[in-house]
Amino acid sequence: MSEDLKTTPLHALHLELGGKMVPFAGYDMPVQYKLGIMKEHTHTREACGLFDVSHMGQALLKGADVHAAIENLTPSDVKGLPQNGIRYSLLMNEQGGIRDDFMVTNRGDHLYLVVNAACKEADFDYIAQSLPDYELELLNDRALLALQGPMAPVVLNRFAPGIDQLIFMNMGEYDIAGIPCLVSRSGYTGEDGYEISVPADKAEDLARKLLGEDEVEAIGLGARDSLRLEVGLCLYGADIDETTSPIEASLNWAVGKRRREEGGFPGHGVVMQHLNEGIARKRVGIKPLGRAPARAHTEIADQDGNIIGEITSGGFGPTFQGPVAMGYVKQEFSKIGTSVNLIVRGKEMPAEIAKLPFVPQRYYKG
């Protein structure tokens, strides 16, 4: 391991389990275990996978009328969130671009935030500087585990009876095997499941207990990526970044109806212009028609050979049983079923614009 890579509280466990470690967002993280990416992916879809996502940033934002304050930075309707409700949100820049995507939970008198690992220092600095009258408490003493898959509620209910009744995009406090945890019914695989914020010194104990259940396998970053790609979820830094607006990214639903009218967030003018006047490019699903996957930065051409876009995420979809991709194309080519070509090593590969998600999302709505 490189000396300058950070580690999560589960690092020793990853090594013990035979994790193949790679640098990711400044951390030494497991890309896969002995099962391998394909089997880890399938196991999560069919049973239950445990992911270490402790590299992500967790924080509490406190202060008077904090729900209104965070709306100065995001187009989400946070004031309309019920207590313990969770919302997928975007941190915006003045040009209408996305600084990061993050999760915000209404915890009553404060907010619980989870941001991406690669952006967390910049995000937290930006939030603290933008909202100087508010207290941003970084939860560096907590780990974050994701238990994902159709058997996740069955497994977790053994340790915390009643947790199977928690609804998607809601949070609660639970003792799991005697360990006090903050649990959300959420995740980034498209499957039912939970994200569990646990004291760092109890994380390995909890992970071992969960992995001791027959249905649960340890899952690495490789399968995490193929799982989210199949269900059309964006990866920050690939599918969305400072140069893409929520409308170009097909994230219109992340801009609250009230917020469109009221404004008050960075880039509001650009977002409204894109909503009202249209966009030049759009994020779409792309299905290569052969067996070979198309990777990020592959150019997309029309039938006449003109470059009309680029793939931002691509690979093989084990559940879809074929190659899947997402990317941006000129708006006029964004209709589902449109034939395009992918330029791979100078050769044209046939593909078509496809409906997202490639695999149905299976969240528990109650």
Side-chain angles (χ1 to χ4, degrees), residues 24-25 27 53-61 70 73 87-91 99-105 111-128 136-140 144 195 224 236:
F24 180 80
Y27 282 79
V53 287
S54 305
H55 55 314
M56 297 181 75
Q58 303 178 68
L60 305 180
L61 188 63
I70 195 76
L73 309 181
R87 191 147 281 157
Y88 172 86
S89 302
L90 305 168
L91 278 179
R99 299 178 69 109
D100 197 9
D101 56 346
F102 71 110
M103 304 297 270
V104 57
T105 306
L111 302 175
Y112 169 72
L113 313 176
V114 179
V115 303
N116 284 307
C119 309
K120 65 183 178 184
E121 283 87 5
D123 286 354
F124 290 151
D125 285 350
Y126 172 65
I127 293 169
L136 185 68
E137 179 187 338
L138 306 189
L139 302 179
N140 296 325
L144 194 63
E195 290 196 346
R224 181 172 163 84
Y236 189 80

Side-chain angles (χ1 to χ4, degrees), residues 14-32:
H14 297 317
L15 298 178
E16 182 186 315
L17 295 172
K20 181 183 176 185
M21 309 302 285
V22 298
F24 180 80
Y27 282 79
D28 196 37
M29 296 294 288
V31 68
Q32 66 179 73

Side-chain angles (χ1 to χ4, degrees), residues 145-174:
L145 308 181
L147 190 68
Q148 301 282 297
M151 294 304 292
V154 175
V155 169
L156 212 53
N157 215 50
R158 292 175 194 150
F159 298 98
I163 204 166
D164 60 337
Q165 298 306 303
L166 189 65
I167 304 292
F168 177 62
M169 294 300 267
N170 278 269
M171 174 173 277
E173 292 179 42
Y174 294 87

